[in-house]
């Protein structure tokens, strides 16, 4: 088993006839999936998704893969294959196409429809190649065959990439639901055929590798939803991912049975469900869907709202309802259903929303107290079954945190994949497939790129550290006027604190220390503004730390006259 090392240098030159695989996101994390394949001087990208920020990334809207390693080679990119339409696989495409807008996009009908709608908002009209399971397309030097897989969104695909260096299969996100709502099974016969032909490297979804057994069928949720709808006395509010078409279909069916009307809330939900309905993936009985504006004219027991916010996202509709910051006001007797899983890292945010909703009297149904979610990712039993069918020569776990990647690697070895042919990599680690063996070749830059409003990449880790300090410890500003000739104080110091829990009057005790320090520095001939600021910062910071055991941001402002 190969282990990435933080001291890895830049990748060695790619051996002639070799294939290089470089994940730029999705390894060691849930989201930001993006992998670059290089052969014969050309690049093929599989997926280009986003990661959603956590609490320690205040103010950040999205986190993108780092394109810097391919930025000078965008002319070599022959296409971007999108395995399915979830944000963690397509959300960064607009930002990539901003850099070169004629890179072809390859995907299934629904996947392309979702990304094209998103690109319209960025005023980008992409070149798109629609494919379906069973199709085989040559994309530059890459011979790509597309295979049906079952996931929590319709039209998901795996891809087999053939080059003279060997065949690589990328599963994308998948599971093996044997009773899918749309009847579209993961195509095990095709995977078996590929296995007989010889899969040289398998890149396999790791998200549920720690979970034993098999994922229950999606249709199991229907009965729970029906029971929940039957018990509900007032409005029902269902929160789900804006692209979870199968889950929304079951909500629509349950609402129709109870004679309720359904309104979609949130721009992404309205857009995606409209696309799914227009393309025939969402079956909507006539008259079931109404505009949210007419809800006030309907009795509460006839209303179902479907919204975003199942992960506790602060600006999503459900979070705003919990905070009383939305036009829809939660009242006693409302039923709220969180029809989704908890993405690792979002637990605190989700439970904060649940508590907020409960405070206003809602009955909250979630994965912790009812079976309102099944995963879209293969569990350990399915992965074992899958590896025995595919019989890959080399395995590279993808799509998961470290614990998921290692668990997936262990499963592969149980089925006979040799330890020295199991590659655990991380974002930026280049893996070369040469002479039938996968080995680590080096590492490229693959850090987080933060989107904050219209800013892309301007926010750094240092900026986030400052934001965290401001949010947790507050700020203390110190205003001083000094004589530019003598360095002596002629005005101030005036000290004000915000968010630190320290009253301004308390700083009277530190003013003599500042004056003493500045006087000493003036006599030593230290009169540069930057040095004076540092002296003030140290004096105030030490006093606050010693007195209050706090570390607010100290902002000295020095004016010379």
């Amino acid at each position: 088993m190969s282990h990435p090392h933080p001291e890895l240098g830049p990748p060695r030159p790619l051996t002639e006839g070799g294939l290089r695989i470089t994940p730029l996101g999705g390894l060691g994390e849930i989201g930001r999936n993006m992998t670059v394949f290089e052969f014969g001087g050309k690049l093929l990208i599989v997926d280009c998704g986003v990661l959603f920020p956590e609490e320690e990334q205040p103010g950040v809207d999205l986190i993108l893969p780092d394109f810097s390693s391919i930025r000078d080679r965008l002319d070599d990119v022959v296409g971007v294959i999108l395995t399915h339409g979830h944000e963690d696989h397509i959300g960064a495409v607009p930002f990539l196409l901003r850099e070169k807008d004629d890179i072809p996009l390859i995907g299934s009908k629904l996947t392309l429809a979702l990304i094209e709608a998103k690109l319209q908002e960025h005023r980008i009209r992409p070149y798109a190649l629609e494919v379906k399971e069973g199709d085989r397309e040559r994309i530059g030097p890459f011979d790509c065959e597309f295979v049906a897989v079952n996931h929590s969104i319709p039209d998901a695909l795996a891809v087999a990439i053939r080059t003279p260096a060997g065949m690589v299969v990328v599963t994308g996100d998948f599971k093996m639901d044997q009773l899918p709502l749309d009847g579209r099974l993961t195509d095990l016969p095709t995977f078996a055929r590929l296995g007989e032909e010889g899969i040289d490297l398998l890149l396999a979804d790791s998200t549920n590798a720690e979970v034993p057994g098999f994922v229950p069928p999606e249709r199991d949720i229907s009965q729970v939803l029906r029971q929940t709808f039957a018990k509900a006395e007032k409005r029902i509010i269902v929160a789900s991912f804006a692209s979870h078409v199968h889950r929304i279909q079951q909500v629509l069916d349950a609402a129709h049975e109870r004679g309720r009307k359904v309104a979609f809330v949130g721009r992404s939900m309205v857009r995606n469900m409209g696309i799914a309905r227009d393309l025939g993936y969402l079956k909507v009985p006539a008259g079931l869907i109404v505009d949210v504006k007419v809800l006030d004219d309907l009795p509460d027991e006839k209303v179902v709202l479907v919204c975003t916010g199942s992960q506790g996202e602060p600006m999503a509709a459900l979070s705003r309802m919990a905070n009383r910051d939305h036009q829809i006001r939660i009242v006693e007797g409302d039923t709220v259903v969180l029809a989704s899983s908890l993405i690792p890292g979002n637990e605190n945010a989700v439970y904060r929303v649940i508590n907020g909703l409960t405070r206003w009297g809602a009955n909250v149904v979630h994965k912790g107290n009812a079976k309102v979610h099944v995963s879209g990712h293969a569990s350990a039993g399915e992965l074992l079954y899958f590896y025995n069918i595919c019989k890959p020569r080399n395995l590279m776990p993808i799509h998961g945190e470290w614990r998921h990647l290692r668990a997936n690697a262990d499963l592969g070895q149980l089925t006979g994949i040799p330890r020295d042919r199991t590659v655990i990599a991380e974002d930026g680690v280049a893996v070369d497939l040469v002479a039938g063996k996968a080995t680590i070749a080096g590492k490229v830059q693959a850090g987080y790129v933060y989107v904050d409003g219209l800013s892309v990449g301007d926010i750094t880790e240092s900026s986030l550290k400052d934001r965290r300090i401001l949010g947790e410890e507050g700020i203390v500003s110190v205003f001083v006027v000094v004589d530019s000739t003598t360095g002596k104080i002629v005005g101030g110091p005036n000290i004000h604190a915000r968010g630190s829990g320290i009253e301004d009057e308390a700083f009277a005790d530190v003013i003599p220390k500042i004056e003493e320090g500045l006087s000493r520095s003036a006599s030593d001939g230290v009169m540069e503004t930057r040095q004076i600021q540092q002296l003030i910062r140290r004096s105030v910071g030490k006093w606050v730390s010693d007195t209050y055991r706090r570390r607010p941001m100290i902002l000295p402002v020095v004016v010379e006259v």
Side-chain angles (χ1 to χ4, degrees):
M1 186 184 299
S2 301
H3 295 277
H5 197 276
E7 280 78 36
L8 276 175
R12 58 179 177 258
L14 178 58
T15 302
E16 186 174 353
L19 173 67
R20 175 161 291 168
I21 302 100
T22 308
L24 297 183
L27 275 66
E29 60 199 0
I30 303 291
R32 217 170 60 112
N33 298 290
M34 180 177 181
T35 307
V36 179
F37 295 80
E38 178 179 359
F39 181 82
K42 297 297 182 181
L43 305 178
L44 175 68
I45 298 171
V46 175
D47 290 326
C48 188
V50 296
L51 179 68
F52 293 102
E54 298 181 8
E55 289 182 349
E56 64 267 23
Q57 293 149 341
V60 173
D61 299 318
L62 297 170
I63 305 172
L64 308 179
D66 188 343
F67 303 144
S68 59
S69 63
I70 62 170
R71 185 164 281 121
D72 294 336
R73 300 191 58 190
L74 293 179
D75 288 339
D76 296 331
V77 177
V78 295
V80 179
I81 293 174
L82 302 171
T83 59
H84 63 281
H86 281 152
E87 285 294 299
D88 60 334
H89 289 257
I90 69 171
V93 169
F95 300 92
L96 179 64
L97 294 194
R98 279 187 192 178
E99 307 210 9
K100 191 173 191 295
D101 62 7
D102 60 350
I103 297 175
L105 304 181
I106 303 101
S108 63
K109 179 188 290 187
L110 179 61
T111 303
L112 290 179
L114 292 173
I115 188 59
E116 286 170 357
K118 182 183 293 290
L119 288 168
Q120 284 181 4
E121 299 176 3
H122 294 260
R123 296 184 174 85
I124 297 173
R125 295 176 61 87
Y127 169 74
L129 172 64
E130 183 181 315
V131 294
K132 62 182 183 304
E133 55 266 28
D135 286 353
R136 191 163 170 174
E137 297 283 348
R138 178 161 287 278
I139 305 167
F142 305 93
D143 179 0
C144 300
E145 180 177 354
F146 299 91
V147 187
V149 291
N150 181 255
H151 186 41
S152 54
I153 185 173
D155 254 8
L157 295 169
V159 58
I161 303 170
R162 295 177 176 89
T163 69
M167 186 204 303
V168 179
V169 171
V170 184
T171 66
D173 289 354
F174 85 108
K175 62 177 176 177
M176 297 198 292
D177 190 338
Q178 298 303 296
L179 298 169
L181 292 176
D182 58 3
R184 188 174 179 271
L185 295 160
T186 292
D187 190 353
L188 296 178
T190 294
F191 283 113
R193 173 176 58 79
L194 295 172
E196 290 300 319
E197 180 182 337
I199 298 173
D200 294 287
L201 177 61
L202 176 63
L203 276 63
D205 179 10
S206 305
T207 311
N208 265 357
E210 287 187 312
V211 180
F214 287 68
V215 175
E218 173 72 27
R219 66 178 61 230
D220 283 3
I221 294 173
S222 293
Q223 187 60 33
V224 179
L225 287 176
R226 288 190 176 98
Q227 292 171 356
T228 301
F229 278 42
K231 293 177 183 176
E233 298 175 355
K234 292 189 176 180
R235 295 177 303 179
I236 300 171
I237 300 164
V238 181
S240 177
F241 292 118
S243 53
H244 203 329
V245 178
H246 294 322
R247 191 67 44 80
I248 304 304
Q249 181 68 66
Q250 294 181 92
V251 171
L252 297 184
D253 293 343
H256 184 58
E257 288 179 8
R258 305 302 302 183
R260 289 176 178 257
K261 300 294 185 181
V262 178
F264 294 126
V265 180
R267 185 178 60 170
S268 59
M269 182 67 75
V270 171
R271 180 189 66 200
N272 289 354
M273 291 306 110
I275 291 169
R277 178 181 54 193
D278 293 345
L279 295 179
Y281 294 96
L282 191 69
K283 312 297 182 185
V284 183
L288 178 66
I289 304 296
V290 298
D291 192 283
V292 70
K293 296 176 183 177
V294 307
L295 293 182
D296 290 341
D297 300 329
L298 296 173
D300 287 351
E301 65 273 13
K302 294 295 182 182
V303 170
V304 176
L305 296 106
V306 180
C307 67
T308 55
S310 62
Q311 296 303 308
E313 305 96 312
M315 296 308 295
L318 195 66
S319 296
R320 292 172 56 201
M321 291 178 200
N323 294 331
R324 278 289 199 262
D325 183 31
H326 196 279
Q327 64 186 28
I328 296 167
R329 312 282 281 187
I330 299 295
V331 298
E332 187 82 30
D334 283 344
T335 298
V336 179
V337 182
L338 272 68
S340 65
S341 63
L342 278 177
I343 293 176
N346 293 347
E347 294 89 350
N348 289 341
V350 171
Y351 286 119
R352 190 179 303 118
V353 170
I354 291 173
N355 283 321
L357 295 167
T358 305
R359 176 187 179 193
W360 305 120
N363 171 35
V364 184
V365 181
H366 55 90
K367 188 182 178 183
N369 59 23
K371 190 175 180 179
V372 289
H373 175 73
V374 298
S375 178
H377 303 269
S379 292
E382 291 160 88
L383 290 170
L384 289 170
Y385 192 84
F386 188 70
Y387 294 151
N388 284 327
I389 287 175
C390 293
K391 296 177 286 193
R393 298 187 178 105
N394 298 268
L395 173 65
M396 180 175 167
I398 57 171
H399 301 179
E401 297 179 343
W402 272 103
R403 56 196 173 98
H404 306 129
L405 301 179
R406 289 195 178 279
N408 202 1
D410 292 342
L411 293 173
Q413 288 164 34
L414 287 174
T415 65
I417 302 171
R419 185 179 179 85
D420 64 350
R421 289 180 176 265
T422 305
V423 179
I424 295 184
E426 62 184 343
D427 294 343
V429 170
V431 176
D432 286 358
L433 180 63
V434 178
K437 187 167 184 181
T439 57
I440 287 176
K443 189 175 183 179
V444 302
Q445 180 176 321
Y448 283 0
V449 175
Y450 297 108
V451 178
D452 183 356
L454 297 177
S455 164
V456 179
D458 294 338
I459 301 300
T460 63
E461 290 295 339
S462 177
S463 304
L464 292 180
K465 181 181 178 182
D466 288 346
R467 289 182 179 183
R468 288 192 290 269
I469 292 172
L470 285 169
E472 296 167 4
E473 302 284 355
I475 184 172
V476 175
S477 62
V478 186
F479 184 84
V480 180
V481 181
V482 299
D483 188 305
S484 59
T485 305
T486 65
K488 293 182 178 180
I489 298 176
V490 295
N494 295 323
I495 305 177
H496 301 282
R498 293 291 182 272
S500 66
I502 306 172
E503 298 293 333
D504 290 352
E505 294 76 13
F507 288 99
D509 293 343
V510 78
I511 288 176
K513 298 180 183 296
I514 298 174
E515 293 173 337
E516 179 185 343
L518 291 181
S519 176
R520 190 184 312 114
S521 66
S523 63
D524 292 340
V526 177
M527 292 184 291
E528 289 187 11
T529 300
R530 185 182 62 82
Q531 293 173 308
I532 295 173
Q533 289 173 332
Q534 283 291 89
L535 188 149
I536 294 171
R537 186 177 289 113
R538 283 196 300 268
S539 299
V540 177
K542 184 177 186 306
W543 178 82
V544 172
S545 177
D546 292 345
T547 308
Y548 293 95
R549 293 292 185 268
R550 296 175 190 166
R551 301 187 66 181
M553 180 175 287
I554 311 297
L555 183 64
V557 179
V558 177
V559 177
E560 295 184 353
V561 294

